[in-house]
């Protein structure tokens, strides 16, 4: 029997390239596909943005009042995913300032997760028994309007200097209970390959460190950053997990597909951490489509985060029920692989608390009355 040998990946072809807006129509591919070019051409002003999309008055005003405290920065690639006429475009909501940012509610907090309090040394948050967050930079290719670390990100004065990096490495070396290090930021891929390799190799040399993770949104906002060299480099430091942050199916492009493929081919397991955002993805249909696309990109949906109580992002916050409702509409209805954990990162530093629909109807002695995803009831009896 003859087999049809697949010579090209037909799944890849279902992912369209990002469209190229007029101002970059004549840009050479070698520039467009180069992450340094993408980084250098980032949109940082309203004048530049107006050449790409039709800016609304509310956005212009919000930019004027916000850019000193929280920069705007959008890579040409990510800007090309913005619908130029739709003020509610999900990519636009995540990257262009809006009036809602200027509203600070009395309940909003500067550091809702108390990351600073649980900092034994600057740059390390050690909250859980066996793992730490390690901040290595405060830059990101795109400044997400919903960022929970707005107080730090985009502020050059808070970037992790070499001394801080060494102190963080020393802390991890001295704390034998740390078996899992989440390299974070900002976006750690804003570091050069050399600096990242230095960090990875130092961590890998620590006997008690078992797994490394890189938390990066570059797969979404600057997929060109994942070069062949970078993928070759990370291979040396396995087990290395990648945690990324796709929020909407529109972000699942050919470019993103290829970036994920390079990392997956290099042996990385990729997880997605979506943030639940009003008007962007607070709809089970959108999340299901996103998660199906992510699985085709070899990315496993891992968390859905309830939006934090950070200052200036209350316009993104949804009721908690929205997250529970999303899980209710996924579990059972689609692959278990497409069902992430919905968590609330407890204000005040309580950590991630999972919430899920209640499938337990009643519990009497040895009898457990349970319901399934279709709301049918079943009894499980213990011996
Ligand atoms: C999210 C987080 C981690 C990692 O948590 P996992 O549930 O293991 O993915 C570690 N430290 C801090 C402070 C965190 O917020
Ligand atoms: S990439 Fe992450 S850290 Fe950077 S602005 Fe976006 S949410 Fe914040």
């Amino acid at each position: 029997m003859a087999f049809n040998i697949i010579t090209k990946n037909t799944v890849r072809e279902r992912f369209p390239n990002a469209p190229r807006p007029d101002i970059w129509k004549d840009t050479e591919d070698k520039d467009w596909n180069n992450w340094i070019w993408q980084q250098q051409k980032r949109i940082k002003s309203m004048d530049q943005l107006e050449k790409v999309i039709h800016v609304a008055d509310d956005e212009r005003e919000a930019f004027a009042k916000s850019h000193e405290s929280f920069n705007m920065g959008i890579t040409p690639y990510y800007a090309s995913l913005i619908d130029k006429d739709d003020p509610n475009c999900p990519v636009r909501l995540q990257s262009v300032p809006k009036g809602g940012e200027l509203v600070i509610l009395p309940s909003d907090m500067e550091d809702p997760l108390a990351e600073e309090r649980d900092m034994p040394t600057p740059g390390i948050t050690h909250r859980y028994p066996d793992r730490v967050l390690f901040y290595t930079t405060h830059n990101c290719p795109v400044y997400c309007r919903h960022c929970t670390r707005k107080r730090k990100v985009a502020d050059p004065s808070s970037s992790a200097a070499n001394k801080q990096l060494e102190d963080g490495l020393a802390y991890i070396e001295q704390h034998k209970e740390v078996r899992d290090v989440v390299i974070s930021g900002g976006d750690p891929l804003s570091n050069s390959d050399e600096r990242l390799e230095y960090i990875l190799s130092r961590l890998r040399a620590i006997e008690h460190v078992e797994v490394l993770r890189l938390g990066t949104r570059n797969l979404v906002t600057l997929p060109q950053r994942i070069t062949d060299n970078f993928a070759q480099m990370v291979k040396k430091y396995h087990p290395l997990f990648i945690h990324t942050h796709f929020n909407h199916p529109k972000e699942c492009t050919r470019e993103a597909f290829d970036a994920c493929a390079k990392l997956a081919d290099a042996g990385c397991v990729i997880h997605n951490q979506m943030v639940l955002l009003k008007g962007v993805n607070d709809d089970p249909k959108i999340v299901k489509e996103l998660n199906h696309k992510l699985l085709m990109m070899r990315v496993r949906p891992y968390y859905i985060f309830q939006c934090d109580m950070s200052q200036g992002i209350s316009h993104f916050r949804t009721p908690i029920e929205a997250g529970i409702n999303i899980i209710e509409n996924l579990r059972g209805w689609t692959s278990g692989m497409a069902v992430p954990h919905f968590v609330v990162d407890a204000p005040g530093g309580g950590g991630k608390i999972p919430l899920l629909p209640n499938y337990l109807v009643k519990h009497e002695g040895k009898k457990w009355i349970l319901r399934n995803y279709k709301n049918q009831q079943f009894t499980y009896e213990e011996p």
Side-chain angles (χ1 to χ4, degrees):
M1 197 178 128
F3 289 95
N4 270 332
I5 308 288
I6 297 174
T7 52
K8 75 184 169 181
N9 191 326
T10 52
V11 173
R12 178 178 186 262
E13 284 167 15
R14 297 179 207 171
F15 289 77
N17 278 112
R20 200 85 77 81
D22 288 341
I23 63 157
W24 296 301
K25 277 264 160 23
D26 297 326
T27 302
E28 288 185 55
D29 287 349
K30 73 166 177 35
D31 287 332
W32 183 261
N33 296 326
N34 179 323
W35 70 274
I36 310 244
W37 183 91
Q38 287 280 343
Q39 187 89 279
Q40 284 168 348
K41 300 289 176 188
R42 286 192 311 164
I43 296 170
K44 294 181 177 158
S45 71
M46 275 293 137
D47 288 350
Q48 292 168 305
L49 188 64
E50 272 165 350
K51 298 195 175 104
V52 189
I53 62 170
H54 297 129
V55 178
D57 289 342
D58 166 67
E59 292 167 332
R60 197 170 288 110
E61 194 190 326
F63 172 80
K65 292 187 179 155
S66 72
H67 80 278
E68 282 186 2
S69 54
F70 187 64
N71 289 338
M72 179 175 76
I74 315 175
T75 55
Y77 162 79
Y78 200 62
S80 74
L81 303 180
I82 298 178
D83 184 314
K84 66 182 183 356
D85 300 309
D86 178 8
N88 296 317
C89 162
V91 174
R92 185 167 179 150
L93 294 177
Q94 292 182 70
S95 55
V96 177
K98 234 183 175 339
E101 285 180 31
L102 308 170
V103 179
I104 311 268
L105 299 183
S107 58
D108 287 353
M109 299 183 259
E110 210 188 329
D111 176 20
L113 307 182
E115 287 175 329
E116 313 277 317
R117 192 202 59 201
D118 287 347
M119 239 175 218
T121 178
I124 294 268
T125 298
H126 193 176
R127 167 165 308 146
Y128 298 105
D130 65 346
R131 54 208 187 280
V132 295
L133 276 188
F134 187 17
Y135 306 94
T136 58
T137 171
H138 288 289
N139 290 317
C140 304
V142 170
Y143 296 118
C144 310
R145 307 320 298 178
H146 56 276
C147 183
T148 201
R149 296 202 188 114
K150 274 190 179 178
R151 72 190 186 282
K152 287 240 153 177
V153 165
D155 170 8
S157 67
S158 71
S159 78
N162 288 336
K163 159 105 175 53
Q164 180 172 320
L165 188 72
E166 293 304 321
D167 289 350
L169 290 165
Y171 179 88
I172 297 167
E173 272 160 359
Q174 286 151 16
H175 288 259
K176 299 221 180 325
E177 69 276 20
V178 177
R179 40 161 291 288
D180 176 358
V181 179
V182 185
I183 304 168
S184 175
D187 197 312
L189 266 61
S190 298
N191 290 302
S192 66
D193 284 4
E194 290 69 30
R195 187 168 154 100
L196 269 174
E197 176 148 29
Y198 174 74
I199 297 167
L200 289 169
S201 63
R202 285 287 306 275
L203 290 170
R204 214 2 113 220
I206 302 174
E207 193 111 9
H208 53 271
V209 171
E210 298 174 359
V211 295
L212 302 175
R213 318 191 214 179
L214 268 175
T216 176
R217 209 178 184 210
N218 270 256
L219 298 175
V220 184
T221 55
L222 181 58
Q224 296 81 5
R225 175 69 182 83
I226 312 303
T227 59
D228 294 333
N229 277 344
F230 178 78
Q232 283 303 319
M233 186 275 281
V234 297
K235 262 187 178 172
K236 292 183 260 173
Y237 302 101
H238 281 314
L240 176 70
F241 292 71
I242 305 285
H243 282 226
T244 191
H245 175 179
F246 285 89
N247 282 334
H248 193 277
K250 259 190 115 168
E251 297 166 337
C252 300
T253 61
R254 176 80 54 94
E255 287 88 340
F257 182 98
D258 287 345
C260 294
K262 275 184 198 175
L263 290 171
D265 285 348
C268 298
V269 173
I270 314 172
H271 284 147
N272 191 57
Q273 309 194 148
M274 184 191 108
V275 180
L276 183 55
L277 301 172
K278 192 196 279 176
V280 173
N281 54 19
D282 55 341
D283 172 348
K285 280 200 296 297
I286 290 178
V287 179
K288 196 198 261 185
E289 184 189 344
L290 170 66
N291 290 356
H292 287 170
K293 287 195 164 155
L294 290 174
L295 289 177
M296 287 191 275
M297 292 160 70
R298 297 193 270 172
V299 177
R300 168 78 155 90
Y302 178 57
Y303 279 138
I304 293 178
F305 284 112
Q306 173 70 12
C307 198
D308 291 326
M309 293 166 67
S310 301
Q311 288 175 351
I313 61 174
S314 57
H315 57 303
F316 281 121
R317 281 161 58 189
T318 64
I320 297 241
E321 279 89 353
I324 297 175
N325 182 42
I326 287 170
I327 303 301
E328 176 88 58
N329 281 279
L330 293 177
R331 172 59 67 195
W333 299 102
T334 190
S335 316
M337 296 187 294
V339 188
H341 306 282
F342 172 52
V343 295
V344 180
D345 217 338
K352 299 176 182 72
I353 299 175
L355 290 175
L356 74 172
N358 189 7
Y359 295 107
L360 174 62
V361 181
K362 219 163 41 182
H363 168 209
E364 292 165 344
K366 290 178 185 291
K367 280 195 181 152
W368 292 74
I369 320 276
L370 310 172
R371 72 163 178 96
N372 72 359
Y373 67 103
K374 288 181 175 164
N375 245 331
Q376 298 160 322
Q377 295 195 3
F378 300 87
T379 305
Y380 179 90
E381 203 170 326
E382 293 170 354

